[in-house]
Amino acid sequence: MTENPSILTAQTLIATLLAARVPVAAYCPGSRNAPFAYALAQAEAEGQIRVGTFSDERSAGFWALGMAKALAAQAGQPVPVPVFTTSGTAVTELHSAVEEARLQGLALVVITADRPHELRGVGASQTTIQEGIFPGVVAASIPAGRSGERVATAAPLTRLLRAACDTPGPVHLNVAFADPLVPASDLVLPTVPVPTYLATPPTLPSWDEVVDPSLWTVVVAGDSADPAVIAAATARQVPILAEPSSGATASPSWVPHTPLLLRYLYQQRDIQQVVVTGRPTLSRPVVALLGRHDVRKIVVSPRADYPDQSYTAQVVVAGLAASDGGAGDPGWLATWRAGADCVGQVVAEVSGAELNLLAISRLLWASQPEVALWLSASNAVRGFDLAAASPARAQVYANRGLAGIDGTVASALGLASGLGRPVRAVIGDLAFAADLSTLVQQPGLPADLQVVVLNDGGGSIFASLEHGGAPADLYERYFAVAPRMDVVALAEAAGWRAERVSRFDELEPALAAPVSGRSVIEVVMPRPDALLRELAARTEAALSRLHVSQLSPRVNPEN
């Protein structure tokens, strides 16, 4: 029996993914995309691919994003992860994850089923304009070839997979399926040839070719920093001002408590040169440093949208070649360490042994270093940026593209499945409320995930911004918007193990237990605005008492 064109198209596209060695996919049910379900089920039964299934497209998109982040970290290069949806509004649910994948450079492959072209504009159900639905967001977007013609169907997807990895970033393939949508016979996936791409590796300069050794230099390491930059800076004892998810906190040159040091010390220091790697977006003091026009700025990034929002970069380079380099100046790094030690003492004194943002962040940073951390946007990640210190953690992840709270649980769940190791996600109560739909999802791939919900009654991040001075009633209604929910009850209703912690002496044993299966720890804590004001005041006072010789290696205390 001759197979129908829609099933042939789906078979060919799944076979193309397998030929490209795509290891995993996310699938959302629907009628129009059902041909993909039959082909994926066949490939999964043959052990050629793993498939996570989701009833919610938004969760699926962020799960695939977390999976792509995990696979890229393990492979050292982009690994495409497709997500399949049906037609209509299902496609629009992916937009946030696609935008996040663009800004993080993750190879998210969006494959959407569509109604036949002749049904557009005639009042047919579940019909929208899906081609080009992600303008300016995806690296490439093309429709599949004519239904049933295998060469014309495989070629567009092969090109898109290549674009997703080369850019890297998300891509979109829109596939119009006509009825019938079910197979007429047993499925046999075809063999699809994949062309071999031969590319000449770019010639990258070394650190010494782009960094002026005569200038007092620091490295600013944002999310997903380049390991080659971190290695070169470490070899030269250059201070590394690293965000928690940069991957740079394991370096001996890491200087913790960056926001406080930059806010109260950097103008007294003689910074003359900054090397930027990754995507630094977390703190305003870092942004202020990168906006200075009197500092030579070198940006190391392969992306066209390299980080330089103040337009002050003098040098932009795609990457650095490995090099041994010299020993650098230990005195320069020592001045930063002196300041960091001073701030660290203040953080410890201010946080104490209470359930507050600083104490919780310090405890979570030190607890079970073999467990990977996923940090939510807003105050959760900022607590770690302020309080985290040695010992370092190598496996820390976050969505720092749009830096929103969307899909936090889903992304962490995908990361856990991709890494194949336990993950602890630390999120605020608003981020938890925004991703409740993920709690009930059962992708079918194993994951050990613990979600620590920092419940301080709403959007406390705004209190640390200029909006903190708003009248109390206005602040509560328009900024805090505290969700009305019972975190433990909601988690348990979705089948997660859950407990509530309201005292500091309860938190440490809860975090010491092994992370296995799905669990939630709700930590009831006060809003941190008063705590952060106290930290700022005491840090400024403590740093002002440091001897001037500890603030600049150019100062001779005998003069």
Side-chain angles (χ1 to χ4, degrees):
M1 182 180 295
T2 303
E3 194 52 83
N4 68 68
S6 293
I7 295 296
L8 283 175
T9 298
Q11 285 179 298
T12 303
L13 290 174
I14 300 307
T16 304
L17 293 176
L18 300 180
R21 298 181 180 178
V22 171
V24 65
Y27 179 83
C28 302
S31 177
R32 188 58 48 178
N33 66 332
F36 288 130
Y38 297 111
L40 282 170
Q42 179 65 30
E44 188 176 35
E46 296 172 358
Q48 299 186 74
I49 195 170
R50 297 183 299 157
V51 181
T53 55
F54 294 83
S55 61
D56 179 79
E57 288 82 10
R58 179 176 168 277
S59 296
F62 277 102
W63 180 89
L65 185 146
M67 176 67 73
K69 199 172 183 78
L71 297 180
Q74 292 173 329
Q77 60 185 12
V79 177
V81 176
V83 55
F84 294 85
T85 77
T86 193
S87 61
T89 57
V91 183
T92 65
E93 295 295 327
L94 296 178
H95 204 287
S96 295
V98 172
E99 185 74 67
E100 185 68 34
R102 177 184 73 85
L103 292 170
Q104 291 194 50
L106 297 173
L108 191 68
V109 182
V110 176
I111 301 179
T112 56
D114 201 353
R115 315 286 275 184
H117 295 277
E118 60 270 19
L119 292 183
R120 297 178 184 173
V122 294
S125 176
Q126 286 193 324
T127 305
T128 187
I129 306 301
Q130 294 178 195
E131 293 175 9
I133 201 170
F134 306 111
V137 181
V138 292
S141 176
I142 55 178
R146 293 179 296 278
S147 196
E149 295 186 12
R150 285 179 170 162
V151 173
T153 301
L157 181 54
T158 300
R159 289 177 178 271
L160 283 178
L161 291 173
R162 187 68 187 180
C165 294
D166 282 351
T167 302
V171 294
H172 178 210
L173 181 72
N174 195 58
V175 188
F177 283 142
D179 294 338
L181 304 173
V182 297
S185 58
D186 292 338
L187 295 185
V188 178
L189 296 177
T191 299
V192 174
V194 175
T196 300
Y197 291 86
L198 300 177
T200 303
T203 301
L204 296 175
S206 67
W207 172 284
D208 296 319
E209 290 178 284
V210 296
V211 180
D212 187 339
S214 69
L215 302 179
W216 297 110
T217 304
V218 298
V219 168
V220 169
D223 184 72
S224 302
D226 187 337
V229 176
I230 303 306
T234 301
R236 292 160 178 80
Q237 301 185 69
V238 174
I240 298 175
L241 315 181
E243 293 184 0
S245 62
S246 64
T249 63
S251 168
S253 292
W254 172 45
V255 179
H257 316 302
T258 292
L260 295 166
L261 283 171
L262 287 181
R263 182 176 178 182
Y264 297 114
L265 269 189
Y266 86 86
Q267 288 182 332
Q268 302 175 55
R269 294 175 180 272
D270 299 318
I271 299 177
Q272 297 172 318
Q273 183 170 239
V274 179
V275 180
V276 183
T277 176
R279 185 180 175 82
T281 59
L282 190 52
S283 73
R284 292 188 174 186
V286 168
V287 172
L289 170 62
L290 298 183
R292 288 176 55 181
H293 291 269
D294 59 335
V295 173
R296 183 172 187 259
K297 188 166 73 175
I298 302 163
V299 178
V300 183
S301 173
R303 299 172 59 91
D305 58 344
Y306 56 86
D308 183 31
Q309 60 181 293
S310 60
Y311 301 96
T312 54
Q314 284 96 335
V315 179
V316 179
V317 60
L320 295 181
S323 61
D324 295 331
D329 185 349
W332 176 238
L333 179 58
T335 66
W336 285 90
R337 285 179 172 158
D341 290 344
C342 178
V343 175
Q345 292 176 7
V346 175
V347 171
E349 293 168 1
V350 172
S351 59
E354 303 291 338
L355 277 186
N356 58 54
L357 180 64
L358 298 177
I360 294 168
S361 299
R362 294 178 70 219
L363 183 57
L364 282 163
W365 186 263
S367 176
Q368 298 197 57
E370 71 280 2
V371 174
L373 281 180
W374 184 282
L375 306 182
S376 172
S378 204
N379 267 346
V381 67
R382 284 174 172 80
F384 287 86
D385 200 30
L386 290 169
S390 298
R393 296 189 74 105
Q395 300 270 339
V396 183
Y397 303 89
N399 279 340
R400 297 303 305 167
L402 292 175
I405 61 174
D406 285 338
T408 304
V409 177
S411 296
L413 195 62
L415 181 81
S417 294
L419 292 179
R421 59 181 296 184
V423 172
R424 174 175 282 150
V426 186
I427 74 177
D429 50 329
L430 286 182
F432 183 77
D435 207 13
L436 288 176
S437 61
T438 296
L439 296 183
V440 299
Q441 300 298 316
Q442 299 292 332
L445 274 68
D448 295 318
L449 175 64
Q450 181 181 85
V451 178
V452 180
V453 182
L454 306 183
N455 190 350
D456 60 3
S460 60
I461 179 64
F462 299 108
S464 64
L465 304 177
E466 56 270 29
H467 316 294
D473 56 345
L474 186 151
Y475 182 88
E476 291 300 324
R477 185 177 179 195
Y478 288 92
F479 292 102
V481 288
R484 296 182 180 179
M485 63 179 177
D486 185 326
V487 171
V488 170
L490 285 167
E492 290 179 337
W496 294 56
R497 302 190 315 277
E499 61 180 305
R500 181 177 291 110
V501 170
S502 56
R503 297 199 318 269
F504 190 81
D505 59 1
E506 298 173 336
L507 181 58
E508 189 167 8
L511 296 177
V515 175
S516 63
R518 297 184 177 194
S519 63
V520 171
I521 300 176
E522 179 190 14
V523 182
V524 181
M525 55 177 277
R527 291 182 182 168
D529 42 312
L531 176 79
L532 297 180
R533 286 196 297 270
E534 180 185 1
L535 175 64
R538 292 181 61 175
T539 297
E540 184 175 19
L543 290 177
S544 68
R545 292 193 296 268
L546 280 179
H547 194 279
V548 68
S549 65
Q550 294 175 287
L551 300 182
S552 173
R554 295 182 174 182
V555 175
N556 184 344
E558 297 180 356
N559 291 342

